[in-house]
Amino acid sequence: MTAGREIISIHLGQAGIQMGASLWEQYCKEHRIGLDGVRSDKRYKLMERMRKNDKDEWESVNEQPKPLQPSDVVAQDDGSSMPRVRKSNDINLRPQKKIDDGDPTSNGNTTTTTTNNNKTSSSNTERKQQELSDLPQTLQAVIAESNVFFSYNVANDTHVPRALFMDLEPNVIDDVSNSAFGSLFNASYFVKGAEDAANNYARGHYTVGAEYLEASLEVIRKQVEQCEHFQSFLFNMAVGGGTGSGFGGLLAQELSSLYRKKAKISFSIYPAFQMSTCVVEPYNALLATHDLIENNNITVILDNEAGYEMCQRHLQIPRPSYFNINRLIGKVSSAITCGLRFTGPQQFMINDMLTNLVPYPRLHFMTCGMGPMLADKADDVYEITEENITSSAFRSDHMFTKYL
């Protein structure tokens, strides 16, 4: 199978986790992965092997009981007949072969068991690579595309997001785990605290957030070890809160020392000009910007006020919510990273982005736009051409940052 270009996503704070929920939903739709981690075409193939029995219940075709044949009936001495015992195909019901007829706790059995365990543990990686290479070429290509953000489990044929969800309060992470796509994520990749940062940069960077730094680094280390060609980190956070600004800068600083040659890209929500949820947002953003300058390679600036105006003006949503804005951010993040996932003339690597978009290491703050942006109930007919798409993407009302 083609070598991967894995990326680890890091979602910090309430805003980052809510952005990540919309973002992973978008990734699943593009890669045709269900909210339970199973591919859609795989699910349809399984349904072909299912049918209803006499009790109007769904069951597997292979497990349907077969009607008795004349050869299955054994005649008895008294003239009666009884069905022959059919051998089960279930390996769990087969009698296990005994290694030694003597005492099961003998030294010979213990030595054999220990040797088998060592052989099994040493050949796990080779068996996984062999199972992947035995898959059809078309399936290997599809898995290679989704392998950028998803880790493929060969044992149960599922895809798990390669992501870390971290928040100093448990409410937002619990909402994600109890949602419709909660089974998509690995619960061991959730790091949550007992109290929030109270929109305070110092609590997230020095006191409360520092207590969960080792747990977060341990989750990242496990995910990096599972990668073949790890490429970069992708942050989703808001620099106006305490967890995103304080803990985000602390985590980026530690990752810069542990993974010095790996790029770090951040989609950061900055405070808006005319709307705010907290008085100290500008101070948190100012302190977090210092950490982003020193430890990030690319920072994409997002603005809630610009998202509200785009939803009202172009999508005709009178009162948009964070859910609508996160959907737009998920579209933008997916469009920026599509060249990393899908093969084609626009395929690129993270190093190509750094070379072409970053003139100086400290000057890496960027804005993004999206076009065309049309509502479902739009009365006018929009002519989709290359000129219209390009011009709309560069218009100020299509930018995700509010300009004065």
Side-chain angles (χ1 to χ4, degrees):
M1 191 170 61
T2 308
R5 306 171 303 276
E6 295 89 352
I7 295 177
I8 296 179
S9 301
I10 301 175
H11 309 282
L12 304 177
Q14 178 181 357
I17 294 174
Q18 292 177 352
M19 290 168 56
S22 301
L23 182 59
W24 286 109
E25 183 180 358
Q26 180 69 25
Y27 287 157
C28 289
K29 291 181 180 179
E30 294 179 354
H31 293 284
R32 300 181 64 183
I33 298 175
L35 297 182
D36 55 353
V38 182
R39 290 191 176 275
S40 301
D41 50 358
K42 177 69 176 179
R43 186 181 292 105
Y44 292 142
K45 291 180 181 179
L46 290 176
M47 289 299 297
E48 293 176 0
R49 298 182 301 195
M50 301 288 290
R51 66 183 181 186
K52 288 187 177 181
N53 55 16
D54 298 337
K55 298 181 180 180
D56 199 21
E57 296 177 351
W58 289 100
E59 65 180 12
S60 176
V61 176
N62 297 331
E63 297 178 358
Q64 290 274 346
K66 297 181 180 180
L68 292 177
Q69 302 295 332
S71 60
D72 296 331
V73 179
V74 181
Q76 303 295 323
D77 297 336
D78 55 356
S80 62
S81 61
M82 63 177 297
R84 188 190 306 270
V85 178
R86 188 183 301 275
K87 294 182 179 181
S88 175
N89 293 326
D90 192 352
I91 191 173
N92 296 323
L93 300 179
R94 296 179 184 177
Q96 301 294 328
K97 295 182 179 180
K98 295 183 179 180
I99 299 176
D100 188 12
D101 294 333
D103 187 9
T105 60
S106 61
N107 294 332
N109 286 333
T110 306
T111 305
T112 305
T113 305
T114 306
T115 305
N116 293 335
N117 292 336
N118 294 334
K119 291 181 180 180
T120 303
S121 59
S122 62
S123 61
N124 283 337
T125 305
E126 297 179 358
R127 185 174 67 253
K128 180 179 179 181
Q129 296 177 355
Q130 181 66 26
E131 291 177 351
L132 288 175
S133 60
D134 293 341
L135 296 176
Q137 294 294 332
T138 55
L139 184 58
Q140 291 187 31
V142 173
I143 293 176
E145 291 179 350
S146 61
N147 194 41
V148 177
F149 287 104
F150 292 87
S151 60
Y152 178 67
N153 191 348
V154 187
N156 54 6
D157 195 13
T158 57
H159 300 261
V160 180
R162 193 179 295 107
L164 163 68
F165 287 80
M166 193 278 166
D167 195 7
L168 295 180
E169 63 166 351
N171 296 333
V172 184
I173 295 181
D174 292 341
D175 292 340
V176 173
S177 60
N178 296 329
S179 61
F181 52 92
S183 59
L184 176 67
F185 305 99
N186 190 348
S188 62
Y189 296 162
F190 293 159
V191 178
K192 53 186 177 181
E195 55 178 335
D196 58 358
N199 292 324
N200 193 320
Y201 173 88
R203 286 175 61 87
H205 192 89
Y206 297 105
T207 57
V208 181
E211 298 176 0
Y212 300 94
L213 179 62
E214 294 297 331
S216 302
L217 293 176
E218 180 66 17
V219 172
I220 295 175
R221 183 191 62 81
K222 292 180 180 179
Q223 299 185 20
V224 171
E225 290 179 352
Q226 297 175 0
C227 300
E228 296 181 4
H229 299 277
F230 173 61
Q231 191 173 188
S232 66
F233 297 99
L234 185 63
F235 286 82
N236 289 274
M237 59 185 183
V239 297
T243 305
S245 61
F247 186 81
L250 179 61
L251 183 61
Q253 182 179 356
E254 291 294 329
L255 294 179
S256 298
S257 60
L258 296 176
Y259 308 95
R260 185 172 302 175
K261 295 184 179 180
K262 303 302 179 182
K264 290 173 288 299
I265 302 174
S266 174
F267 288 88
S268 303
I269 299 179
Y270 269 75
F273 289 108
Q274 298 180 359
M275 56 178 299
S276 176
T277 59
C278 180
V279 180
V280 295
E281 275 188 351
Y283 303 98
N284 295 332
L286 180 62
L287 295 172
T289 302
H290 172 72
D291 297 328
L292 295 177
I293 291 175
E294 297 295 336
N295 303 308
N296 262 29
N297 299 100
I298 294 178
T299 302
V300 181
I301 300 177
L302 306 171
D303 188 356
N304 282 333
E305 184 178 354
Y308 275 113
E309 291 190 0
M310 284 189 292
C311 291
Q312 293 176 348
R313 180 179 302 179
H314 303 292
L315 302 182
Q316 299 180 4
I317 302 176
R319 299 188 65 180
S321 61
Y322 287 135
F323 175 79
N324 304 118
I325 299 176
N326 291 332
R327 281 292 185 89
L328 292 179
I329 295 175
K331 296 284 186 181
V332 172
S333 302
S334 174
I336 293 176
T337 59
C338 67
L340 302 172
R341 295 177 282 136
F342 301 102
T343 58
Q346 296 182 349
Q347 187 176 8
F348 61 90
M349 303 291 287
I350 292 294
N351 293 333
D352 300 334
M353 295 179 61
L354 299 178
T355 303
N356 298 323
L357 297 178
V358 180
Y360 300 100
R362 295 170 62 89
L363 187 60
H364 57 256
F365 292 86
M366 307 173 186
T367 59
C368 59
M370 183 174 63
M373 196 176 300
L374 303 175
D376 294 335
K377 300 180 181 179
D379 297 331
D380 56 337
V381 178
Y382 187 86
E383 184 181 0
I384 300 178
T385 60
E386 295 182 1
E387 182 180 359
N388 293 339
I389 293 175
T390 306
S391 61
S392 62
F394 284 94
R395 288 170 51 183
S396 59
D397 57 344
H398 283 69
M399 290 289 177
F400 281 81
T401 304
K402 185 70 174 178
Y403 293 96
L404 291 178

